[in-house]
Amino acid sequence: MAVITEHGNSNRHNNNSDSNSKIGISKSDTDAAPHPQRQLSNALTIPEFFAHKNIFVTGGTGFLGTVLIEALLDTHPDIGTIYVLVRGKRNHDPKERINRLLQKPIFQKYNEKTLAKVVPVVGELTEPNFGFANELLQELLDRVNVIYHSAATIRFNSHLRTAIFTNLTGTMRTIELAKQLKQLSAYIYCSTAFCNSNNRGLITEDVYKSQFDPYEMMKMAENDEAWVDFTQQKCKSYLKDHPNTYTFTKNLSENLLMAEMAGLPAAIVRPSIVYGTLEHPMKGWVGNANSGHLGFLAGFVKGIFRTMSGSASAVIDIIPCDYVINSSLVMGWYVGTRNIDEPEIIHCTSGEVNPLTLSQFCNIINDSVERHPPNSFVWKPSTKLRNGWRYNLFFYLFHLLPAMIFYIPEKLFGIGMPQHTAYEYMRVFQNGTKAFDYFLDKDFRYSMKNALRVSSLIHESDRKRYNFDASRCDWSEFIDRCLIGIRRFYFKESAVTTQWHRNYWKVFNILYYAGFVAIFAILYFVLTPFLGFPIGFTMALFVWAFLVWL
């Protein structure tokens, strides 16, 4: 049962009319409206539950949202309409955006009739009723049964006001819609395991009390005067022990859900670091692979990102994308077939059941790229853990400096990574490293007690298809699929590793070690004329050994 806790304490509150005074927040005006009629299902299986259900999805054009839409279509041939919230952008037709989404490889098995069930609805996430016209709003209120809310700004360093508007006010809008629906079966919120990263030790599947009132924070976001001369120092006074605005606003959103959705069929799913798919809808689907840790892998396979920061024994909690989607579908079925007092929370993580250390991760990706090298790369892909001054010196010498030199051939011959120059990617890489350092340098553990309990209730016929228990996940095989997926879907290369790829790797392997010889030769011929042979040779050898160690 989900509860509000004070920094991990297991103080459990009964669900009653006075519960909001206990968690320190006041309810919105929407609470004055009657709860929507429950459409309690007696479906034993996940496909049975989603048959004839109409779904409203936010964040549907993102990586997770795209896989969610495909998975919803796959649940049952008789699934209803999937309404996808799409922002109205100048010179971008919403229908065309959805059509392009549905042309992705993961939708190839569906016919036109099935794909026609995916319908774009133009609106703004933070506007009341999303800014929908009355006719469209009424259609949604009459027809929608299930809401999946995954839209968010996932940038760790977003301005606090932007993060509040998108992550908190946007969540409020979906709650307001849920409360107006005539027949609500399930409301699922995609949160993050990192939302409680201001705590240490074992993070339980409870909502941790926020340090600020979410309603007051939404009011503050609406007040222009509150943001005049809003300095970084002032922002930190709000974040307190949260590492960034993302985790801060996600925690606020969970508190909002607990206040607003008591007695309604709601659930919160908290994934950790989301990678590509393991099995469904196809092996190794990675979307555009340019954000999050998938962006690191994309740069790694091209030999551009060659180092990581963190403790060798730190656990990197990764999870396949399809496991996140499976858990979301299971929670839709779970809360839609039971009377629950308050939102259910589950972690979709791996660290407690199948831990993967940073040292193991580096070894796995190094081995994987050697078995499955891409068609081309800037330098031999290889990564190593470094920390402190060693990491910084390596980054500037072997990341930033080469990227600046590489800028000219990039522009002249169009080689390298798509969309941006290597130098631009290096800046993104450095910012991402700083953001992830926090999560890889602390003792974070995520309880899966509730997740495993819910997983055990899945019908036998659904257990394999909708599995989200990572305890048996083979990380080496999974990383293989992700790297091949990056080659295939992001770089548009062949998914098949041929003898040509192996020979190409061997050539670069020779060049890699020849590079060490060249560095020593340069040092030798630069130093010996000025210092003489004994001292020059010794200095060259010393500097060379240091660079090799670095």
Side-chain angles (χ1 to χ4, degrees):
M1 183 66 67
V3 297
I4 295 279
T5 68
E6 181 82 41
H7 295 289
N9 296 331
S10 57
N11 303 325
R12 297 184 176 270
H13 303 311
N14 295 326
N15 181 36
N16 56 40
S17 60
D18 198 35
S19 63
N20 288 290
S21 62
K22 294 180 180 180
I23 63 175
I25 55 182
S26 57
K27 282 207 170 187
S28 70
D29 293 339
T30 57
D31 192 55
H35 282 177
Q37 179 182 338
R38 280 298 309 270
Q39 191 178 10
L40 193 64
S41 171
N42 59 2
L44 295 177
T45 68
I46 283 96
E48 286 177 8
F49 173 75
F50 283 100
H52 308 292
K53 293 289 192 304
N54 299 304
I55 324 289
F56 179 78
V57 176
T58 72
T61 56
F63 174 45
L64 273 175
T66 301
V67 182
L68 171 63
I69 292 170
E70 189 284 330
L72 288 168
L73 290 175
D74 189 60
T75 55
H76 199 283
D78 293 328
I79 192 169
T81 303
I82 302 173
Y83 296 98
V84 182
L85 181 67
V86 180
R87 289 187 65 189
K89 292 184 178 181
R90 185 178 297 178
N91 301 325
H92 289 82
D93 180 47
K95 289 184 179 179
E96 183 57 32
R97 289 182 65 190
I98 293 299
N99 287 338
R100 286 200 303 270
L101 181 145
L102 297 177
Q103 290 171 8
K104 294 180 184 293
I106 61 175
F107 294 100
Q108 287 181 349
K109 70 178 183 179
Y110 299 104
N111 57 35
E112 290 186 11
K113 182 179 179 181
T114 300
L115 294 178
K117 295 182 178 183
V118 182
V119 176
V121 288
V122 182
E124 289 293 328
L125 181 66
T126 60
E127 293 294 322
N129 292 325
F130 307 100
F132 292 150
N134 290 335
E135 185 177 351
L136 172 59
L137 178 62
Q138 194 58 50
E139 178 183 344
L140 297 176
L141 298 183
D142 291 341
R143 301 195 66 216
V144 168
N145 311 110
V146 179
I147 293 177
Y148 277 97
H149 176 40
S150 65
T153 174
I154 59 175
R155 293 180 59 187
F156 286 169
N157 60 348
S158 289
H159 191 279
L160 179 58
R161 190 181 194 185
T162 301
I164 293 172
F165 269 132
T166 306
N167 296 345
L168 184 56
T169 305
T171 300
M172 188 67 208
R173 299 309 180 207
T174 62
I175 291 172
E176 291 168 348
L177 178 67
K179 288 190 169 188
Q180 296 178 75
L181 297 182
K182 294 194 174 175
Q183 291 188 314
L184 175 67
S185 292
Y187 173 102
I188 310 301
Y189 174 59
C190 184
S191 184
T192 172
F194 302 141
C195 67
N196 298 309
S197 53
N198 56 325
N199 295 277
R200 297 292 178 270
L202 184 68
I203 307 297
T204 59
E205 291 161 301
D206 302 313
V207 171
Y208 286 54
K209 183 179 178 180
S210 55
Q211 296 174 320
F212 290 90
D213 186 328
Y215 300 101
E216 292 301 320
M217 296 305 293
M218 285 188 286
K219 289 178 182 177
M220 178 176 141
E222 296 283 351
N223 181 9
D224 292 336
E225 293 182 2
W227 303 96
V228 176
D229 298 325
F230 192 83
T231 63
Q232 187 65 27
Q233 195 61 37
K234 195 166 185 179
C235 179
K236 289 180 180 179
S237 71
Y238 282 94
L239 300 185
K240 294 188 181 298
D241 47 1
H242 272 279
N244 52 60
T245 59
Y246 175 68
T247 67
F248 176 70
T249 52
K250 281 291 190 176
N251 173 250
L252 285 169
S253 297
E254 288 195 359
N255 277 259
L256 181 68
L257 271 165
M258 290 297 289
E260 292 284 338
M261 299 296 281
L264 295 175
I268 298 170
V269 177
R270 292 177 181 160
S272 50
I273 303 172
V274 183
Y275 269 35
T277 58
L278 180 66
E279 294 284 348
H280 301 285
M282 56 177 57
K283 296 176 181 178
W285 170 252
V286 294
N288 59 13
N290 63 2
S291 63
H293 231 254
L294 278 175
F296 166 78
L297 285 187
F300 163 76
V301 300
K302 290 296 184 179
I304 292 180
F305 300 155
R306 302 175 50 78
T307 189
M308 289 188 69
S309 176
S311 168
S313 61
V315 172
I316 178 170
D317 201 309
I318 64 175
I319 196 74
C321 175
D322 43 338
Y323 279 29
V324 181
I325 301 306
N326 288 348
S327 66
S328 300
L329 297 179
V330 168
M331 292 311 293
W333 161 79
Y334 179 83
V335 300
T337 55
R338 291 159 177 80
N339 283 310
I340 61 174
D341 294 329
E342 51 192 351
E344 289 281 347
I345 300 102
I346 64 165
H347 283 138
C348 188
T349 54
S350 61
E352 282 297 289
V353 294
N354 192 3
L356 175 67
T357 66
L358 270 180
S359 177
Q360 292 171 329
F361 175 78
C362 287
N363 290 336
I364 287 174
I365 63 176
N366 286 334
D367 292 342
S368 180
V369 77
E370 183 173 357
R371 290 193 303 271
H372 307 287
N375 288 0
S376 63
F377 37 81
V378 175
W379 196 240
K380 174 189 170 183
S382 178
T383 194
K384 188 176 182 179
L385 280 176
R386 299 172 178 87
N387 289 290
W389 67 266
R390 185 184 181 189
Y391 169 86
N392 290 325
L393 184 58
F394 183 90
F395 173 77
Y396 285 106
L397 284 180
F398 298 107
H399 277 65
L400 205 58
L401 183 60
M404 294 169 69
I405 298 171
F406 190 59
Y407 182 83
I408 295 175
E410 272 184 304
K411 290 298 184 181
L412 289 179
F413 305 110
I415 58 178
M417 298 275 282
Q419 299 178 359
H420 300 286
T421 66
Y423 180 79
E424 291 170 330
Y425 277 112
M426 288 309 167
R427 285 301 182 188
V428 173
F429 171 77
Q430 182 73 332
N431 291 334
T433 296
K434 290 177 181 178
F436 269 98
D437 270 355
Y438 181 91
F439 303 104
L440 298 178
D441 191 40
K442 303 291 187 297
D443 181 26
F444 290 121
R445 295 170 52 213
Y446 305 104
S447 170
M448 288 194 66
K449 184 177 180 181
N450 202 36
L452 294 175
R453 177 186 67 82
V454 173
S455 179
S456 69
L457 300 175
I458 301 173
H459 193 273
E460 189 63 34
S461 62
D462 289 339
R463 192 147 293 166
K464 182 178 180 181
R465 171 60 185 87
Y466 297 103
N467 173 52
F468 59 93
D469 177 4
S471 59
R472 296 183 181 179
C473 190
D474 184 327
W475 294 126
S476 181
E477 182 180 6
F478 176 53
I479 293 298
D480 278 358
R481 294 180 183 184
C482 285
L483 293 191
I484 293 172
I486 287 170
R487 276 173 40 179
R488 178 183 176 187
F489 301 115
Y490 185 60
F491 292 115
K492 311 302 179 186
E493 299 176 359
S494 171
V496 179
T497 302
T498 64
Q499 187 60 42
W500 181 91
H501 288 94
R502 298 185 183 95
N503 291 337
Y504 186 75
W505 178 270
K506 290 177 181 177
V507 169
F508 259 84
N509 207 33
I510 294 171
L511 292 173
Y512 176 74
Y513 290 106
F516 290 129
V517 176
I519 290 173
F520 178 77
I522 292 170
L523 290 169
Y524 175 80
F525 287 111
V526 168
L527 295 175
T528 52
F530 300 98
L531 302 175
F533 175 77
I535 299 177
F537 178 82
T538 303
M539 287 293 295
L541 186 62
F542 176 80
V543 174
W544 178 83
F546 174 77
L547 292 176
V548 171
W549 170 82
L550 187 64

